[in-house]
Amino acid sequence: YIASDNFSMADILFFCWMDFVGPMGMGITPEMKNLSAWHERITARQALQPQPSFKLDMRPDTAMCSGFLFSKK
């Protein structure tokens, strides 16, 4: 990881920055082996995998989120 032995805010911010500048030609190059390995580890994280669509039921007596129905009673 970028700043410590654990995933941190530094990894999140740097990952976002790399995704922002990558299309401008300033991303990770093949020569940057450690950074490439870091990027592969980060993109393999479950949080970055496709997620089910978010659904919200706005009826006043219920709250629907990600397919689960919660009663407000």
Side-chain angles (χ1 to χ4, degrees), residues 15-61:
F15 181 81
C16 293
W17 177 252
M18 294 309 299
D19 274 3
F20 178 74
V21 299
M24 294 180 230
M26 296 184 287
I28 301 168
T29 65
E31 296 82 26
M32 300 174 180
K33 297 191 185 310
N34 290 338
L35 196 52
S36 295
W38 166 84
H39 194 266
E40 287 178 21
R41 285 192 306 275
I42 297 301
T43 55
R45 292 178 63 86
Q46 182 179 1
L48 291 173
Q49 302 309 307
Q51 301 296 314
S53 61
F54 180 77
K55 298 175 185 172
L56 184 60
D57 183 342
M58 298 300 287
R59 291 178 294 167
D61 60 332

Side-chain angles (χ1 to χ4, degrees), residues 2-3 7-8 12 18 23 49 52 64 67 70:
I2 295 291
F7 184 73
S8 70
I12 295 168
M18 294 309 299
Q49 302 309 307
M64 179 72 128
F70 301 98

